[in-house]
Amino acid sequence: MKKSVFFLAALVCMMMQSVTTFAGDRIIPKEQLPAAAQTFIQKTFPGQTVSYAKIDFDGRKTYEVRLSNGTEVEFDKNGTWDKVDCNYSAVPANLVPANIATYVKSNFPGATIVKIDKERYGYDIELSNDLELKFNKNGKMLRVDD
């Protein structure tokens, strides 16, 4: 009886290890990104090259890309952008909803949007002054996190 319990426990451990081996991040060639992601990169960040791309299978399939200028972009399984982090430079204006851009410009003069993240409730925005702003889907300001 003890041997069969030990064998079963060992089998379960081996199965768990094989599952975790297949989960997680894996570097892929940029050509394996969805076509929509490749088009987005070419149009939104002309002149930038893909430093690396990786696919993530943790819970849901997503793609992460780092560009030659350090910008990080995350895409969903279809290649639609989910997050753009330009670190210290401004996020391309065409990615920011107009009412959010207007709010930031009038309430935080001199600050630029360096990160935008689509969330279920709306948008997370990070400014160059390290403030994080939360907006709903309609672009209404919810709160400021510092």
Side-chain angles (χ1 to χ4, degrees):
M1 179 70 174
K2 284 186 177 182
K3 283 185 178 183
S4 55
V5 171
F6 177 75
F7 178 74
L8 182 59
L11 183 62
V12 168
C13 287
M14 288 185 340
M15 289 175 62
M16 288 176 56
Q17 171 129 10
S18 67
V19 168
T20 58
T21 300
F22 291 107
D25 296 342
R26 186 183 67 179
I27 301 292
I28 60 170
K30 66 181 179 183
E31 294 78 22
Q32 287 184 11
L33 290 169
Q38 292 181 42
T39 301
F40 174 85
I41 293 167
Q42 291 169 355
K43 288 184 176 180
T44 309
F45 299 98
Q48 296 300 313
T49 58
V50 174
S51 295
Y52 70 83
K54 61 183 177 178
I55 188 168
D56 187 1
F57 292 105
D58 290 341
R60 60 187 177 106
K61 185 177 182 181
T62 58
Y63 297 90
E64 295 178 30
V65 174
R66 180 175 293 256
L67 303 178
S68 54
N69 67 353
T71 295
E72 297 175 27
V73 185
E74 292 183 14
F75 298 95
D76 67 13
K77 66 181 179 180
N78 301 315
T80 303
W81 74 271
D82 182 54
K83 178 167 62 171
V84 176
D85 185 352
C86 293
N87 297 306
Y88 302 106
S89 60
V91 166
N94 63 324
L95 301 182
V96 182
N99 47 353
I100 293 175
T102 301
Y103 181 89
V104 168
K105 186 176 181 179
S106 63
N107 290 286
F108 301 97
T112 57
I113 298 172
V114 295
K115 179 176 163 185
I116 183 168
D117 189 2
K118 294 181 194 173
E119 297 290 346
R120 288 184 185 175
Y121 61 83
Y123 295 90
D124 278 350
I125 303 292
E126 186 175 317
L127 301 179
S128 55
N129 61 8
D130 288 332
L131 285 178
E132 270 190 49
L133 311 176
K134 312 280 188 202
F135 292 87
N136 70 12
K137 290 183 180 189
N138 298 321
K140 182 180 179 219
M141 172 65 151
L142 299 174
R143 71 177 185 272
V144 176
D145 292 341
D146 54 358

